[in-house]
């Protein structure tokens, strides 16, 4: 074989500083190496025994988590091919809310298998063609593998089926307890037509202290601070919501007031007080018992609020303010003044409750039809731990949303991947031409899921996989729902259906589709042309404060 002499490509076409890579070795295999590195980062976080990653982002904030979506979001990936996989996993996160890890791990494995075929001499377009056939066939087979469905979205037992595996992959050991909380919260807000289920109606509030077992579900909205004034409770209250500060409005232009004597001085401040008093007098006359503001409350305003027995609550998050408006049926006003009848909200109970050593404010509607918001109050020893529990809860809620779209259930614990592997191997055996090699590799790539579950649990993956192959390759569907057993000592296999380990059909369908699409997109690339980064030299990061001279 002749020695390949690299030639200086495109000498006069681009400015200096352009990087140009082309061909199988330079572009395709390099891309595959980069994507493999990324998939190896998150692969160890997969499943109930997934390891945590400690990530410090560019703002020096610390994250300790095994949630792939968070890991990917906080890692600043710059390689263009790896970015394609990041985008695919972010799409999965925004659409389904779970199985983001599967997208990256499976796409990385598909590309690794494609690299073997490239080294054997296959052309990328032949691999792409085979992968596309395998993807379409896998997605059509997937529906045949369902082992049941969520019969009723208003039954706690049925909902637990779909969220158990999701929560145990994030918070292994707490899946029963957190599953009950998520089911209770979901049932509180489940509309008559389950298809209208809104994930945004379940809020999470984190209160530091105690343990995870003290977490609870509260009907209505909970804000992690107490009211500002002396009034702590209100019942059957009209509520006015403002986005502006409750204070004397400052004029846009600076004015000068000439005061000649003490009397004028007193009159000046009296007029100001009268003006503020009139605003709150009007509010009290309109029957307003609770005022919510998204900004500060001035001292004078607080004095009059207390005087007229109006409860004052500060909500600094504009998203929470928007949600509150939806719960109580109010309109947020940008000016200070008496709201009209239709702009006011109504709430049955506004009270201050003590959770641990913290006092929180609860807005609660007594009628179930009215209050379509519920809050899960999470307790925990550290902020990082509570953040991780919140992610597990979010994933659980998203799985219930997925069940409203399609209630089919697949066997979990890597069983469905092994069965797909078996069926695709049979398809490959009947496919003529070079496509059969790519379909076979697609099938082999699916075994990355059970293998990873074994490796993360410290089991002998080779022995367990051979047991799984033996069971799945029986005649008929006898081994359809046999997956990896990460708990008990034995041959490492279990029947996922009898153990109640299920995966959502829509989430798995979406993950396999996105992973295959991302892998095919990376394989289609044969040249990488990178221009010189814009901008001058980066400023030196100086230790200490910049005002202090050396």
């Amino acid at each position: 074989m002749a020695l390949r002499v690299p030639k200086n490509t495109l000498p006069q076409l681009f400015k200096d500083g352009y990087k140009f890579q082309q061909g199988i070795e330079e572009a395709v295999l390099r891309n595959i190496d980069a994507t493999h590195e990324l998939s190896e980062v998150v692969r160890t976080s997969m499943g109930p025994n997934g390891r945590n990653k400690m990530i410090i982002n560019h703002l020096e904030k610390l994250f300790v988590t095994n949630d792939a979506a968070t890991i990917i979001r906080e890692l600043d990936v710059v390689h263009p091919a790896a970015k394609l996989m990041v985008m695919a996993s972010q799409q999965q996160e925004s659409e389904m809310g779970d199985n983001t890890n599967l997208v990256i791990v499976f796409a990385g494995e598909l590309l690794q298998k494609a690299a073997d075929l490239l080294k054997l001499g296959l052309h990328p377009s032949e691999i792409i063609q085979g992968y596309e056939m395998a993807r379409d066939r896998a997605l059509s087979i997937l529906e045949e593998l369902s082992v049941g469905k969520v019969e009723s979205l208003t039954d706690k037992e049925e909902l637990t089926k779909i969220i158990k595996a999701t929560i145990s992959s994030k918070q292994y050991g707490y899946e029963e307890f957190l599953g009950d909380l998520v089911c209770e919260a979901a049932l509180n807000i489940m509309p008559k037509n389950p298809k209208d289920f809104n994930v945004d109606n379940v809020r999470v509030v984190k209160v530091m202290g105690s343990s995870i077992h003290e977490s609870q579900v509260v009907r209505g909205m909970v804000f992690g601070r107490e009211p500002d004034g002396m009034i702590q409770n209100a019942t059957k209250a009209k509520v006015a919501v403002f986005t502006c500060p409750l204070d004397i409005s400052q004029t846009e232009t600076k004015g000068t007031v000439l005061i000649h004597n003490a009397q004028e001085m007193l009159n000046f401040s009296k007029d100001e007080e009268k003006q503020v008093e009139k605003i709150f007098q009007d509010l009290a006359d309109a029957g307003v018992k609770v005022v919510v503001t998204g900004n500060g409350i001035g001292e004078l305003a607080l004095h009059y609020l207390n005087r007229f027995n109006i409860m004052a609550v500060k909500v600094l998050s504009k998203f929470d303010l928007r949600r509150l408006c939806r719960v109580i049926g109010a309109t947020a006003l940008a000016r200070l003044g008496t709201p009209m009848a239709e702009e006011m909200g109504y709430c049955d109970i506004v009270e201050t409750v003590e959770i641990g050593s913290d006092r929180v404010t609860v807005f609660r509607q007594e009628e179930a039809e009215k209050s379509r918001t519920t809050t899960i109050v999470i307790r925990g020893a550290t902020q990082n731990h509570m953040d991780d529990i919140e992610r597990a809860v979010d994933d659980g809620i998203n799985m219930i949303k997925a069940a409203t779209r399609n209630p089919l259930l697949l066997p979990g614990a890597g069983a469905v991947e092994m069965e797909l592997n078996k069926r695709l191997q049979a398809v490959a055996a009947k496919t003529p031409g070079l496509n059969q090699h790519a379909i076979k590799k697609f099938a082999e790539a699916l075994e990355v899921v059970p293998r990873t579950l074994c490796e993360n649990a410290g089991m002998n993956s080779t022995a367990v996989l051979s047991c799984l192959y033996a069971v799945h390759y029986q005649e008929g569907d006898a081994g359809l729902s046999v997956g990896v057993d990460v708990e008990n000592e034995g041959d490492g296999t279990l029947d996922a259906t009898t153990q109640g380990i299920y995966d959502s059909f829509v989430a798995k369908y979406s993950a396999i589709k996105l992973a295959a699409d991302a892998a095919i997109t990376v394989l289609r690339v044969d040249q990488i042309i990178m221009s010189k980064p814009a901008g001058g030299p980066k400023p030196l990061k100086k230790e200490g404060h910049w005002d202090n001279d050396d």
Side-chain angles (χ1 to χ4, degrees):
M1 186 178 168
L3 181 69
R4 182 176 170 277
V5 180
K7 63 176 188 290
N8 185 15
T9 47
L10 310 177
Q12 264 75 47
L13 205 55
F14 300 122
K15 285 182 185 174
D16 287 345
Y18 266 81
K19 287 182 187 168
F20 188 86
Q21 297 166 347
Q22 69 174 356
I24 300 284
E25 286 88 0
E26 276 195 356
V28 185
L29 292 177
R30 274 193 185 183
N31 282 348
I32 289 172
D33 286 345
T35 51
H36 179 65
E37 285 295 316
L38 179 65
S39 69
E40 283 301 305
V41 167
V42 293
R43 197 167 79 89
T44 51
S45 295
M46 195 183 213
N49 295 85
R51 308 290 89 194
N52 280 352
K53 301 275 181 262
M54 194 177 274
I55 296 166
I56 297 158
N57 70 359
H58 61 290
L59 298 173
E60 296 185 6
K61 187 179 178 199
L62 174 69
F63 292 86
V64 181
T65 180
N66 64 353
D67 178 42
T70 309
I71 295 167
I72 293 297
R73 191 174 62 245
E74 297 307 327
L75 289 177
D76 209 358
V77 178
V78 292
H79 193 283
K83 260 189 176 170
L84 287 171
M85 281 169 59
V86 169
M87 286 174 193
S89 84
Q90 284 171 342
Q91 182 67 15
Q92 175 75 4
E93 171 66 15
S94 64
E95 281 197 15
M96 294 294 155
D98 193 25
N99 276 0
T100 43
N101 207 333
L102 176 62
V103 173
I104 289 186
V105 170
F106 184 44
E109 191 70 10
L110 280 175
L111 289 167
Q112 204 57 26
K113 298 287 181 194
D116 298 344
L117 293 174
L118 288 169
K119 285 168 187 165
L120 287 173
L122 261 75
H123 193 272
S125 57
E126 288 155 356
I127 301 171
I128 289 164
Q129 212 175 342
Y131 272 7
E132 282 175 342
M133 286 174 68
R135 175 198 63 195
D136 297 340
R137 196 77 191 86
L139 295 177
S140 62
I141 293 169
L142 203 60
E143 200 157 351
E144 299 164 20
L145 303 182
S146 66
V147 287
K149 67 175 190 175
V150 179
E151 298 293 342
S152 161
L153 288 163
T154 52
D155 182 12
K156 195 171 181 181
E157 293 296 317
E158 292 292 315
L159 287 181
T160 307
K161 277 186 191 175
I162 202 162
I163 60 175
K164 182 184 173 188
T166 301
I167 293 177
S168 62
S169 71
K170 300 276 186 301
Q171 292 291 326
Y172 188 41
Y174 296 124
E175 63 270 17
E176 298 288 336
F177 176 71
L178 288 176
D180 287 347
L181 287 183
V182 171
C183 286
E184 190 187 334
L187 291 172
N188 280 351
I189 61 154
M190 187 67 76
K192 283 193 177 75
N193 178 8
K195 283 204 167 22
D196 298 334
F197 180 81
N198 187 358
V199 177
D200 202 35
N201 287 348
V202 178
R203 291 187 67 252
V204 173
V205 167
K206 294 167 284 195
V207 179
M208 190 89 84
S210 191
S211 77
I212 184 174
H213 297 288
E214 297 296 313
S215 304
Q216 62 190 47
V217 176
V218 178
R219 266 182 183 274
M221 283 193 79
V222 176
F223 296 107
R225 58 187 300 156
E226 57 181 319
D228 281 46
M230 286 156 48
I231 316 301
Q232 301 285 307
N233 300 303
T235 52
K236 293 189 169 45
K238 284 184 182 175
V239 185
V241 181
F242 298 102
T243 54
C244 58
L246 300 183
D247 206 350
I248 303 149
S249 53
Q250 300 291 329
T251 53
E252 297 255 336
T253 53
K254 284 189 177 173
T256 308
V257 181
L258 202 58
I259 292 171
H260 296 287
N261 51 38
Q263 193 57 44
E264 285 182 9
M265 176 79 182
L266 288 169
N267 291 344
F268 178 74
S269 56
K270 261 184 198 162
D271 283 350
E272 207 170 45
E273 284 173 28
K274 272 181 192 163
Q275 197 184 347
V276 177
E277 184 178 9
K278 186 176 185 316
I279 291 168
F280 293 109
Q281 177 75 59
D282 290 348
L283 279 174
D285 290 345
V288 173
K289 286 189 184 176
V290 180
V291 169
V292 179
T293 176
N295 236 304
I297 302 175
E299 285 181 12
L300 192 60
L302 201 56
H303 164 72
Y304 285 115
L305 284 166
N306 288 336
R307 190 160 142 195
F308 293 119
N309 285 337
I310 297 175
M311 185 175 175
V313 182
K314 210 189 284 183
V315 177
L316 297 177
S317 159
K318 65 179 181 205
F319 300 107
D320 281 349
L321 206 62
R322 219 172 284 164
R323 283 197 195 102
L324 179 64
C325 286
R326 199 169 63 225
V327 170
I328 60 177
T331 306
L333 302 175
R335 49 160 184 81
L336 195 54
T338 311
M340 291 186 288
E342 62 269 20
E343 292 174 330
M344 277 189 223
Y346 178 83
C347 190
D348 286 332
I349 296 174
V350 184
E351 59 184 349
T352 310
V353 181
E354 199 160 307
I355 296 177
S357 59
D358 291 28
R359 291 173 71 77
V360 298
T361 309
V362 182
F363 283 77
R364 195 166 74 237
Q365 303 283 30
E366 290 294 281
E367 292 174 39
E369 282 306 304
K370 266 191 195 167
S371 180
R372 281 290 176 211
T373 300
T374 193
T375 306
I376 299 175
V377 179
I378 291 174
R379 308 298 309 279
T382 65
Q383 192 63 40
N384 277 320
H385 186 213
M386 290 194 296
D387 288 343
D388 227 22
I389 296 166
E390 182 183 7
R391 288 180 201 116
V393 167
D394 279 347
D395 283 1
I397 296 289
N398 279 313
M399 281 299 98
I400 293 173
K401 176 67 181 169
T404 64
R405 292 186 202 174
N406 188 327
L408 288 179
L409 296 171
L410 299 170
V416 76
E417 283 82 5
M418 286 306 288
E419 189 63 24
L420 264 180
N421 177 342
K422 167 192 160 183
R423 306 268 178 110
L424 285 175
Q425 294 276 20
V427 171
K430 294 174 192 164
T431 308
L434 290 171
N435 288 343
Q436 65 174 297
H437 299 294
I439 296 173
K440 203 169 175 202
K441 288 292 182 187
F442 191 101
E444 284 174 21
L446 281 158
E447 76 175 41
V448 71
V449 175
R451 188 173 73 243
T452 303
L453 291 174
C454 295
E455 285 172 6
N456 289 348
M459 295 154 71
N460 181 347
S461 57
T462 315
V464 175
L465 278 176
S466 35
C467 286
L468 283 175
Y469 271 116
V471 176
H472 278 270
Y473 274 84
Q474 294 171 5
E475 284 298 313
D477 288 343
L480 168 66
S481 55
V482 176
V484 181
D485 183 0
V486 295
E487 280 187 349
N488 306 311
E489 295 290 325
D491 65 352
T493 62
L494 55 69
D495 190 309
T497 316
T498 54
Q499 294 292 325
I501 303 167
Y502 297 102
D503 281 343
S504 162
F505 167 75
V506 274
K508 188 75 78 178
Y509 183 97
S510 170
I512 290 175
K513 186 171 181 297
L514 284 168
D517 286 349
I520 289 166
T521 309
V522 172
L523 285 173
R524 282 189 200 279
V525 175
D526 76 328
Q527 291 186 343
I528 303 173
I529 306 165
M530 292 166 72
S531 65
K532 190 176 177 182
K538 298 269 188 298
L540 287 169
K541 189 180 177 192
K542 196 171 155 188
E543 294 300 319
H545 198 274
W546 48 51
D547 283 346
N548 299 333
D549 293 329
D550 293 332

